[in-house]
Amino acid sequence: MAGRSLELQAGLRAALRGLRIAPRRGGARSGIGQHRGRERGAGLEFAQYRAYEPGDEPRAIDWKLYARSDRLFVREAERESPLTVWLLLDASASMGQADEDRPDWTRLDAARQLALAIAELAIAQGDRIGLLALGGGRVDGVPAAAGARQRDRLRLALAGLRARGGWPAPERLAPVWERIAPGDLAVLVGDLFDPGAAALAARLSAARREVLAIQVLTVGERDFPYRDGRRFEDPETGQWLPGDAAALRAGFLERFGAAQAQLAAGLDAAGVRHARHVLDEPLAAPLQVLFAASGNGR
């Protein structure tokens, strides 16, 4: 997992303001037994100042100090012990799909940006974050860590990902269980088409890991706008089927809608909070669903 570094889209960076990663389950950061670390972040007990950085909330700026020094500083406080966040990124072949009117913007491209945005949130909070990429029948990863160097590691790893092969078989998922500990928070980003993806999310949730999921869909899957005769191909198996798109549209949308409803019901039953992103929609939307301060229990 190596390659040229990946940069977060400027518009997406601006949209992160006001978002926070906040676990809903009890643990080190909430409820009885809560303990403090020496991490710096949002808290009650003042610890120090640091220089303002783009993306910091205006309410965190000490405006009285600015009036005296003509420089922007942010008040930091001691905070609860850091959370460990894991990005579970689907890197199977189906993530290489794109829409006909935008062939250079694939599912994996969108997933990379979403993953990097979540990493930015975690790093800004002083949390640890790691990456596990699932594709080609295997699991590759970046160990969890905090800080600016971890941002650089994740940028390189994400840029080097390629959509290939299928979702790993259950016996190949040992690295997931070795890395993600009880009390950690995992964010699964992928198309969620392989039953193994939803099954893994449910198993992690049942094993006391908090799990969030972002499903990434193409416009074609949401709208099925095709009207001509064409060949439909499964990117992971190579199997294809010819058909009249106009005649198939109603049936496809009905079956796809039913499958989506079944997936959502299964995730809900497993306690997995989830959101959806379609490739023509703003990337910030699913992040706001899962991490908006007013709706995440923080």
Side-chain angles (χ1 to χ4, degrees):
M1 290 173 28
R4 190 173 61 182
S5 180
L6 181 73
E7 296 295 329
L8 187 66
Q9 293 179 0
L12 183 54
R13 180 180 298 279
L16 298 182
R17 295 175 184 174
L19 303 185
R20 295 188 64 78
I21 300 174
R24 286 187 171 178
R25 293 184 174 183
R29 304 183 85 185
S30 61
I32 298 174
Q34 181 182 85
H35 61 278
R36 290 178 181 268
R38 296 298 298 178
E39 299 296 324
R40 306 298 181 182
L44 298 176
E45 202 169 309
F46 174 70
Q48 68 176 17
Y49 289 103
R50 67 166 171 80
Y52 171 84
E53 296 178 356
D56 286 333
E57 295 186 22
R59 64 183 179 182
I61 297 171
D62 191 313
W63 294 106
K64 291 183 179 178
L65 184 58
Y66 171 73
R68 297 196 303 270
S69 65
D70 200 34
R71 295 180 62 189
L72 292 174
F73 290 94
V74 173
R75 292 173 60 91
E76 286 198 326
E78 287 188 2
R79 52 173 291 176
E80 300 165 13
S81 296
L83 177 70
T84 298
V85 180
W86 285 96
L87 297 165
L88 293 177
L89 193 63
D90 184 351
S92 62
S94 63
M95 293 296 288
Q97 288 186 297
D99 288 298
E100 291 179 352
D101 59 351
R102 195 180 178 186
D104 59 340
W105 181 245
T106 67
R107 253 196 269 264
L108 185 58
D109 291 325
R112 286 191 186 104
Q113 286 292 316
L114 290 166
L116 189 53
I118 295 166
E120 289 289 340
L121 288 175
I123 289 168
Q125 294 177 190
D127 290 328
R128 291 160 45 84
I129 184 149
L131 169 68
L132 294 173
L134 301 95
R138 54 183 289 173
V139 181
D140 295 305
V142 176
R149 288 190 176 183
Q150 182 69 350
R151 176 191 291 114
D152 294 337
R153 295 185 194 102
L154 291 172
R155 285 175 174 173
L156 286 170
L158 288 167
L161 284 180
R162 298 294 178 266
R164 57 192 176 87
W167 184 266
E171 61 270 18
R172 302 296 298 274
L173 295 176
V176 174
W177 298 101
E178 291 167 358
R179 299 284 182 89
I180 305 178
D184 289 354
L185 186 147
V187 186
L188 173 61
V189 184
D191 56 36
L192 304 186
F193 288 160
D194 192 297
L200 177 60
R203 285 186 61 204
L204 284 168
S205 181
R208 295 176 40 236
R209 283 80 167 167
E210 181 162 2
V211 186
L212 312 180
I214 301 177
Q215 185 183 32
V216 183
L217 299 177
T218 65
V219 176
E221 288 155 351
R222 182 194 63 196
D223 300 341
F224 203 81
Y226 316 115
R227 294 290 185 270
D228 53 357
R230 61 179 52 224
R231 187 173 75 170
F232 299 93
E233 183 175 353
D234 185 325
E236 295 186 7
T237 66
Q239 295 179 339
W240 58 272
L241 180 69
D244 181 343
L248 294 172
R249 184 172 188 271
F252 171 84
L253 291 176
E254 181 179 358
R255 291 190 301 274
F256 189 74
Q260 288 292 101
Q262 184 177 8
L263 172 65
L267 294 174
D268 289 340
V272 176
R273 287 187 284 149
H274 53 95
R276 188 180 81 167
H277 171 69
V278 183
L279 294 183
D280 66 342
E281 296 175 348
L283 279 164
L287 301 175
Q288 290 165 348
V289 170
L290 296 176
F291 303 119
S294 60
N296 63 14
R298 192 176 189 110

